[in-house]
Amino acid sequence: MRAKRFFLHRPKTLDEAIALKARHGDAATFHAGGTELLVALKAHVLRYEHVIDLKQIAPLKGVRLRDDGTISIGSLTSHDTIANDPIVRASLPGYAELSEHVANIRVRIAGTLGGVLCFAEPHADAPTMLCALDAWVVLRGPQGEREVPSRDFHLGEFATAREDDEILASIEIAPQSAGTRSAYRSFGHTERPAVGVAAVWSTDNPQRLGLWAGALSPRPVRLARAEEAAAGLAGDLPADQVWDRLRDAVAADAQAVEAHDDLHGGADYKRHLVSVLAERAIKACLP
């Protein structure tokens, strides 16, 4: 099936793209990597008379290290670029590894981080890790610029905090200390994860665990009981004993997660996967 005809616009600046959207209103949409949007247009699930292609806007591409150590990822940066970027590989090896295994090579090369975040299909990898990393997104629109924490960006299935006339400009990740390690583990029967779990473990004083599960519910879910249990552990506890102290808290979190039966598996099966993948992600973070 072919997409219905539309006008393709290729602005060179953010201001030009925002002005085009204001001119055409609901008849227009922004286009990033296209791996999700073009499929929906061809299936006639979505219909737009104007598509505003953002790929000519240079500031939206690439990874930058800010003066304060914050890592800024342009929204049009592809998964493949993120996986191989020296800044990401040095500071966020867990996220680089995640990006290396997104879907397939075609999606990794064409698909963008901003595109997958804005489309908000639940069975995605990046949103879960970004929540665990306490990342935030920068949005640009007619009213100016605003920041939204990653954990508040996804509101539900195919729904985000981005207004229709806003462009996701960048994803920001705060500096990571030498005592912080991150890992992501997922499982699925297709190229999309059935369940994914991201862990960020900091041995700084106080030590901290960020643990989130995704893909099995409309938005990433914080495993708060496990995080609280980790905060109460002795800093010198041997690594082989850490999981034993967290096992029950993770199991309780997993049972509380909202999950549904679908083609990726049954709800109980997905909850079981949360515990299995959380164990693997946490152990990957431990020295």
Side-chain angles (χ1 to χ4, degrees):
M1 189 178 296
R2 293 183 178 181
K4 294 185 180 295
R5 291 188 176 185
F6 54 80
F7 292 96
L8 181 64
H9 305 269
R10 287 178 171 165
K12 295 295 197 307
T13 68
L14 272 170
D15 288 341
E16 185 183 351
I18 291 169
L20 280 167
K21 176 61 177 170
R23 184 184 312 159
H24 298 293
D26 292 341
T29 189
F30 296 119
H31 167 46
T35 56
E36 304 280 12
L37 176 64
L38 293 180
V39 171
L41 291 175
K42 289 178 180 179
H44 296 179
V45 174
L46 298 176
R47 169 77 172 101
Y48 293 102
E49 296 177 12
H50 300 268
V51 172
I52 304 169
D53 188 344
L54 304 176
K55 292 194 288 294
Q56 303 299 313
I57 304 176
L60 297 182
K61 297 181 180 180
V63 179
R64 301 168 183 85
L65 186 62
R66 301 195 185 279
D67 292 341
D68 65 355
T70 297
I71 297 173
S72 179
I73 304 175
S75 61
L76 264 63
T77 308
S78 71
H79 304 295
D80 183 67
T81 297
I82 294 170
N84 293 287
D85 185 85
I87 296 173
V88 178
R89 296 189 73 85
S91 300
L92 301 167
Y95 186 45
E97 182 182 7
L98 177 157
S99 299
E100 286 179 344
H101 296 92
V102 168
N104 57 58
I105 187 61
R106 182 189 68 83
V107 171
R108 290 194 292 275
I109 290 176
T112 63
L113 178 55
V116 74
L117 294 181
C118 290
F119 198 72
E121 205 282 337
H123 293 277
D125 300 289
T128 308
M129 176 60 92
L130 293 175
C131 284
L133 287 167
D134 286 332
W136 66 96
V137 302
V138 177
L139 301 168
R140 279 278 302 277
Q143 309 305 316
E145 186 174 285
R146 66 187 181 105
E147 297 179 350
V148 178
S150 183
R151 60 186 60 190
D152 297 329
F153 183 68
H154 287 89
L155 305 180
E157 191 169 4
F158 303 106
T160 73
R162 183 186 71 88
E163 298 294 339
D164 189 54
D165 57 359
E166 288 182 315
I167 295 173
L168 196 163
S170 67
I171 297 88
E172 310 285 318
I173 303 172
Q176 304 295 297
S177 69
T180 299
R181 298 187 181 189
S182 58
Y184 176 77
R185 296 294 183 265
S186 66
F187 182 80
H189 302 288
T190 68
E191 291 180 343
R192 296 182 183 274
V195 177
V197 176
V200 178
W201 187 281
S202 173
T203 57
D204 296 338
N205 189 15
Q207 68 178 11
R208 171 187 169 276
L209 171 66
L211 193 65
W212 286 71
L216 77 166
S217 55
R219 54 182 293 184
V221 178
R222 185 179 188 179
L223 304 184
R225 295 178 181 85
E227 291 184 350
E228 292 170 2
L233 296 179
D236 58 352
L237 189 68
D240 59 358
Q241 296 182 29
V242 171
W243 173 248
D244 290 338
R245 305 292 181 88
L246 298 180
R247 186 192 312 273
D248 290 344
V250 169
D253 280 326
Q255 288 304 309
V257 170
E258 175 188 358
H260 304 285
D261 298 341
D262 59 20
L263 61 84
H264 296 274
D268 289 340
Y269 167 70
K270 293 177 188 177
R271 294 188 186 100
H272 170 69
L273 280 178
V274 170
S275 292
V276 173
L277 296 172
E279 177 180 6
R280 294 177 183 177
I282 291 171
K283 287 182 175 180
C285 292
L286 299 175

